[in-house]
Amino acid sequence: MRKALAIDVGGTKIYNTLVNDKGEIVGEIEKHSTPKTYAEIISLFKEIIKKYENTVDVIAFATCGAVNNSNDGILGSTGNIVREYPKTDFKSLSTKPVYVENDANCAAWAEHIIGASKNCPYSVMLTLGTGVGGGIILDNRLYKGKSGAAGEMHFKINRGNKRKCTCGSSDCFEAYASGTGLRITAVETSGNPDITTYDVIEGLKNKDEQMTKIFDIWQNDIINGIIGLADIFDPDVVVLSGSMAEFVDTDYITEKVNTEIVTQPTKVVKAQAGNYSGMIGAGLLALGVKTDG
Amino acid sequence: MRKALAIDVGGTKIYNTLVNDKGEIVGEIEKHSTPKTYAEIISLFKEIIKKYENTVDVIAFATCGAVNNSNDGILGSTGNIVREYPKTDFKSLSTKPVYVENDANCAAWAEHIIGASKNCPYSVMLTLGTGVGGGIILDNRLYKGKSGAAGEMHFKINRGNKRKCTCGSSDCFEAYASGTGLRITAVETSGNPDITTYDVIEGLKNKDEQMTKIFDIWQNDIINGIIGLADIFDPDVVVLSGSMAEFVDTDYITEKVNTEIVTQPTKVVKAQAGNYSGMIGAGLLALGVKTDG
């Protein structure tokens, strides 16, 4: 069975494992803190690759940042990782084929092949974490756009520069639907500058009235974003993944979305491919695993 | 040269003409008021088709309403035309092949083949009229979604049910970016309930300060919507068509959009395929005219 060395590159952690063409993890999960210098990052990549490259068919990176359409380099800047990182010449890191894709796109592909959007030609995945990632599958193919950077969830859901976003703009979906967005909504609603996301989630569990109200405002912002995506894409399914997806009520969201959209009914569901879906999807993409469509 | 009888079905007018496979209009433009009863609409269709069907290869409808993926029927309700219209069995109207597509999709296809998005594999078209229509071309193909209804521009650009939309929901892009949206923005900004879209456009031409300010608010809502679409699709170009597109400043819009998006730079341009682009696009689609991509 063919397999990939999969490496997940984030701003704080780098993971690696082995993934086969069924989307199964067939190696140990190794975890590293993301080095602070570019030279150390490249050294770490080389060390991981040296250890495994003779046992795999391909090297698969799931990385932060937008990835080009030839799947070998990063477009523009990537936020919370060293400035030089986007210059990385991934193909030079191994004698085996090297394949690079954005981490959210990889996770969406894992859901498409083995997870919550299996057998769905049209799906949109939203990764609700500290920020919001996006991955779009159309007609059974990963949608990348003219340059490879498509699927950025920075459409605006508010008017009048009400809330700054990490992207430098304001009022973006990410600024409301992320974990950070929940905290800001909590601060704005409660007037307490020290309130945390944790406080809201604990309050929700304990049926605290104010915390439930704050959570509902946040979930409603997510609903409003999904309504827009459903009207634009007419997808079979919208998949919610990431640490914050755990807390949302997808049955309620589905009902609300279908009440408001002008396209045909869709479903909103939670991701099923697990915590390492980025590496699984990178492996599947690098190994060329796709559906019949 | 192959040609189509093209029929454009709107809530107030029905047009017909002949279109060849170069996207040229090769017949007279005939204009009819949309009949008030379903029986009269079907009679008019039959009369038009009877007159031309022996001289063409295919019958091409550009219609209001979302059209299914087999291009022979309408999905759901269509707003401002008789209630029974969506039940129309288009294929039964002629012995020649009959092809049906949504009017905004047809117009986007005309721009893609002969107009402003020619040679652009990825484009989004917004038709700014009384409402807002949308047409999406991805990888040189018309994007239709799971059911055919994709491309509805009812994503929300405001929060808190601030403005009702014709779709029954609120805060949609259409409620701000349409001509109707401009009028409501003018009423809200000026406090004058009798102000019209015409007043704003005339004031803009005469450099009236308040009218220019109102216009800028409206144009900024359009910019904010385009930012979201550009971040989602990473398109080569965004095409603005429709009666309201005449007044916008596409150079300014392009600059503002590219300042805020996190994907790669795009261009915002005005449509070039003319007032009958719906019929031209319907004809080209029905005749199977596409690009190499």
Side-chain angles (χ1 to χ4, degrees):
Chain A
M1 187 169 283
R2 298 176 69 232
K3 59 179 189 277
L5 165 60
I7 305 175
D8 186 325
V9 187
T12 53
K13 300 288 175 201
I14 292 174
Y15 294 87
N16 61 274
T17 195
L18 303 177
V19 174
N20 71 15
D21 59 11
K22 284 184 165 173
E24 294 163 340
I25 290 178
V26 292
E28 276 188 55
I29 309 277
E30 295 176 348
K31 180 175 169 181
H32 322 263
S33 288
T34 304
K36 296 291 173 234
T37 73
Y38 181 58
E40 289 172 304
I41 289 176
I42 297 300
S43 291
L44 177 59
F45 286 169
K46 286 183 174 167
E47 187 187 304
I48 296 166
I49 289 169
K50 190 177 171 190
K51 187 170 168 189
Y52 292 104
E53 68 182 335
N54 290 329
T55 69
V56 298
D57 299 279
V58 60
I59 318 296
F61 281 91
T63 180
C64 54
V67 172
N68 63 20
N69 274 327
S70 44
N71 295 103
D72 59 5
I74 291 178
L75 293 160
S77 65
T78 53
N80 58 354
I81 193 166
V82 290
R83 195 169 29 87
E84 302 97 320
Y85 177 65
K87 295 175 192 163
T88 304
D89 178 4
F90 288 93
K91 287 207 183 298
S92 73
L93 295 171
S94 175
T95 52
K96 290 283 168 74
V98 178
Y99 187 98
V100 190
E101 187 48 271
N102 167 265
D103 46 10
N105 283 351
C106 289
W109 195 252
E111 296 299 332
H112 176 62
I113 301 292
I114 64 159
S117 52
K118 201 173 163 180
N119 302 320
C120 294
Y122 299 92
S123 63
V124 177
M125 195 173 86
L126 298 174
T127 305
L128 309 173
T130 311
V132 174
I136 300 166
I137 314 280
L138 304 180
D139 199 14
N140 292 302
R141 296 185 301 176
L142 181 62
Y143 180 72
K144 297 269 289 168
K146 71 171 185 297
S147 67
E152 291 288 344
M153 296 300 163
H154 287 271
F155 53 91
K156 292 170 192 275
I157 61 161
N158 205 355
R159 196 161 169 254
N161 301 314
K162 298 283 197 323
R163 190 181 290 191
K164 281 302 271 183
C165 183
T166 53
C167 73
S169 185
S170 56
D171 301 333
C172 303
F173 180 62
E174 167 160 328
Y176 292 89
S178 61
T180 312
L182 175 56
R183 190 182 59 73
I184 297 169
T185 295
V187 171
E188 283 178 4
T189 308
S190 68
N192 171 6
D194 300 322
I195 196 168
T196 66
T197 302
Y198 181 82
D199 296 334
V200 179
I201 298 301
E202 284 303 297
L204 179 74
K205 286 177 186 166
N206 299 326
K207 303 192 193 308
D208 176 273
E209 198 177 323
Q210 188 185 29
M211 296 304 135
T212 303
K213 184 183 155 201
I214 290 167
F215 182 86
D216 287 345
I217 294 171
W218 175 74
Q219 186 169 262
N220 196 54
D221 285 327
I222 293 170
I223 289 168
N224 284 344
I226 294 173
I227 287 167
L229 293 167
D231 276 335
I232 289 170
F233 286 110
D234 186 19
D236 294 296
V237 63
V238 176
V239 181
L240 301 181
S241 74
S243 56
M244 296 303 296
E246 188 185 329
F247 310 110
V248 303
D249 179 346
T250 48
D251 289 341
Y252 174 75
I253 294 174
T254 299
E255 190 192 325
K256 288 283 278 182
V257 166
N258 285 335
T259 304
E260 290 207 38
I261 58 173
V262 296
T263 50
Q264 299 295 299
T266 190
K267 273 179 301 190
V268 183
V269 300
K270 292 187 189 183
Q272 293 173 8
N275 288 335
Y276 303 112
S277 61
M279 288 194 284
I280 292 169
L284 290 168
L285 283 165
L287 291 165
V289 180
K290 52 184 94 165
T291 52
D292 293 338
Chain B
M1 186 169 282
R2 298 176 69 233
K3 59 180 189 279
L5 164 61
I7 305 174
D8 186 326
V9 187
T12 53
K13 299 288 175 200
I14 292 174
Y15 293 87
N16 62 275
T17 193
L18 303 178
V19 174
N20 70 16
D21 59 11
K22 286 183 163 174
E24 293 162 340
I25 289 177
V26 291
E28 276 189 54
I29 309 276
E30 295 176 347
K31 182 176 168 181
H32 322 262
S33 289
T34 304
K36 297 292 172 233
T37 72
Y38 181 58
E40 288 171 304
I41 290 177
I42 296 301
S43 291
L44 177 59
F45 286 170
K46 286 184 174 168
E47 186 188 306
I48 296 166
I49 289 169
K50 190 178 172 190
K51 186 168 169 189
Y52 292 104
E53 70 181 335
N54 290 329
T55 68
V56 299
D57 300 278
V58 60
I59 318 296
F61 281 91
T63 179
C64 53
V67 172
N68 64 19
N69 274 325
S70 43
N71 294 105
D72 58 5
I74 292 179
L75 294 159
S77 64
T78 54
N80 58 352
I81 193 165
V82 290
R83 194 168 31 86
E84 302 97 320
Y85 177 65
K87 294 176 192 162
T88 304
D89 179 5
F90 289 93
K91 287 207 184 297
S92 73
L93 295 171
S94 175
T95 52
K96 289 284 169 74
V98 178
Y99 187 98
V100 190
E101 188 49 272
N102 167 266
D103 47 9
N105 283 351
C106 290
W109 195 252
E111 296 298 332
H112 176 62
I113 300 292
I114 63 159
S117 53
K118 201 175 162 178
N119 302 320
C120 294
Y122 299 91
S123 63
V124 177
M125 195 172 87
L126 299 173
T127 305
L128 309 173
T130 311
V132 174
I136 299 166
I137 313 280
L138 305 179
D139 199 13
N140 292 302
R141 296 185 299 176
L142 181 62
Y143 179 71
K144 295 269 290 171
K146 72 171 185 295
S147 67
E152 291 289 342
M153 296 301 164
H154 287 271
F155 53 92
K156 293 170 192 275
I157 61 162
N158 205 355
R159 196 162 169 254
N161 301 315
K162 299 283 198 321
R163 191 182 289 191
K164 280 303 270 183
C165 182
T166 53
C167 73
S169 184
S170 55
D171 300 334
C172 302
F173 180 62
E174 167 161 328
Y176 292 90
S178 60
T180 312
L182 174 56
R183 189 182 60 76
I184 297 169
T185 295
V187 171
E188 282 178 4
T189 308
S190 68
N192 172 5
D194 299 322
I195 196 168
T196 65
T197 303
Y198 181 82
D199 295 334
V200 179
I201 298 301
E202 284 303 297
L204 178 75
K205 287 176 186 166
N206 299 325
K207 302 192 194 305
D208 176 272
E209 198 177 321
Q210 189 187 27
M211 295 304 134
T212 303
K213 184 184 156 202
I214 290 167
F215 182 87
D216 287 346
I217 294 171
W218 176 73
Q219 186 169 261
N220 196 56
D221 285 327
I222 293 171
I223 289 169
N224 284 344
I226 295 173
I227 288 167
L229 293 168
D231 276 335
I232 289 170
F233 286 110
D234 187 19
D236 294 295
V237 63
V238 177
V239 181
L240 302 182
S241 73
S243 57
M244 297 302 297
E246 187 186 329
F247 311 109
V248 304
D249 179 346
T250 49
D251 289 341
Y252 174 75
I253 294 175
T254 298
E255 190 193 324
K256 288 282 279 181
V257 166
N258 285 335
T259 304
E260 290 206 39
I261 57 173
V262 297
T263 50
Q264 300 294 299
T266 191
K267 273 180 301 189
V268 182
V269 300
K270 292 187 189 182
Q272 292 172 9
N275 287 337
Y276 302 112
S277 60
M279 286 193 285
I280 293 170
L284 291 168
L285 282 165
L287 291 164
V289 180
K290 49 183 98 165
T291 52
D292 293 339

